[in-house]
Amino acid sequence: MATPVFVAVDTPDLEAATSMVGSLQMPGLGVKLGLEFFCAHGAAGVRSVVEAAGSAPLFLDLKFHDIPNTVAGAVRATVGLGAALLNVHAGGGPEMMRAAAAAAAEEAERLGVPRPAMLAVTVLTSLDDADLVAVGQAPPVREQVVRLAKLAKECGMDGVVCSAAEISAIREACGPTFQLVVPGIRPAGAAVGDQKRVMTPAQAMAAGATSLVVGRPITRADEPRAAAEAVVAEARGAAPPA
């Protein structure tokens, strides 16, 4: 069964990150590290967090977006860090996504480690229709997300990162086994922050999400472990039968 929740540890503070993930070890909860952490601490920092996290799976959320050879090289350089999930921007195009998928498989085989699931980022959850127009893309967001998800599947991606609002449309377009990793998740009553397309954990899992990404509602809670336990329980309780 896929890990239902990844906690987003978005901090440049290595001690804070390792302490947080160490205190949050529990079944059903993985760890997501992004650009803020990686730019501050690099591969060595990732290894420190992986060690502190125990058996918790890692989502290394670096959103590679460059020419195909560069992205393939970046993927090869990160496979050995032990991530269960890696991602690239679908907007990088078909050749880039194919190169990333091939690099992940080849490097995992060379190192004798499990291949990370490769995800494509569709449209960032901080963007809405007006933002797409501003950058020269055609709205509505939902149609752009589905278009990119179908392209990602054709290019060998294992799934996509999308908002909860697009889950049902992607499920219909890409089938039941395509992984949908969903950020912008806010438990009932939590602040929305800079996210524009959000749902609760129960709503997203019931709609067909594979895994959820939850950051501030856990990491900035008065009791982070209790908050994490509540989110995991809600996600597991709402997930459709496997």
Side-chain angles (χ1 to χ4, degrees), residues 7-208:
V7 59
V9 183
D10 295 323
T11 175
D13 187 324
L14 178 59
E15 184 176 353
T18 55
S19 175
M20 176 67 70
V21 301
S23 69
L24 292 179
Q25 291 186 39
M26 66 185 71
L29 187 69
V31 174
K32 183 188 83 73
L33 294 177
L35 282 171
E36 183 177 7
F37 181 87
F38 194 80
C39 288
H41 301 289
V46 173
R47 292 188 182 98
S48 294
V49 170
V50 168
E51 182 178 357
S55 61
L58 172 67
F59 173 14
L60 196 52
D61 179 27
L62 301 181
K63 300 183 181 73
F64 296 133
H65 189 168
D66 211 310
I67 63 172
N69 283 344
T70 298
V71 168
V75 169
R76 280 192 290 269
T78 51
V79 164
L81 297 177
L85 305 175
L86 288 176
N87 62 1
V88 303
H89 268 288
E95 186 179 349
M96 189 206 76
M97 286 192 282
R98 292 189 184 100
E106 291 164 5
E107 187 66 6
E109 183 177 8
R110 188 184 74 81
L111 295 176
V113 299
R115 179 184 68 84
M118 294 300 299
L119 306 174
V121 178
T122 53
V123 176
L124 297 171
T125 55
S126 59
L127 303 180
D128 58 17
D129 287 355
D131 295 313
L132 289 191
V133 172
V135 297
Q137 296 183 12
V141 165
R142 184 184 181 95
E143 291 183 6
Q144 175 70 350
V145 167
V146 172
R147 181 163 50 247
L148 290 173
K150 291 168 69 175
L151 177 63
K153 184 176 181 181
E154 292 169 3
C155 294
M157 294 285 107
D158 298 295
V160 294
V161 180
C162 66
S163 90
E166 290 89 44
I167 292 171
S168 60
I170 296 173
R171 276 278 169 254
E172 182 177 353
C174 298
T177 62
F178 198 58
Q179 294 188 41
L180 305 184
V181 177
V182 183
I185 298 299
R186 294 291 185 267
V192 172
D194 57 2
Q195 306 289 342
K196 294 182 179 177
R197 304 181 339 269
V198 302
M199 277 189 184
T200 67
Q203 290 171 332
M205 294 303 287

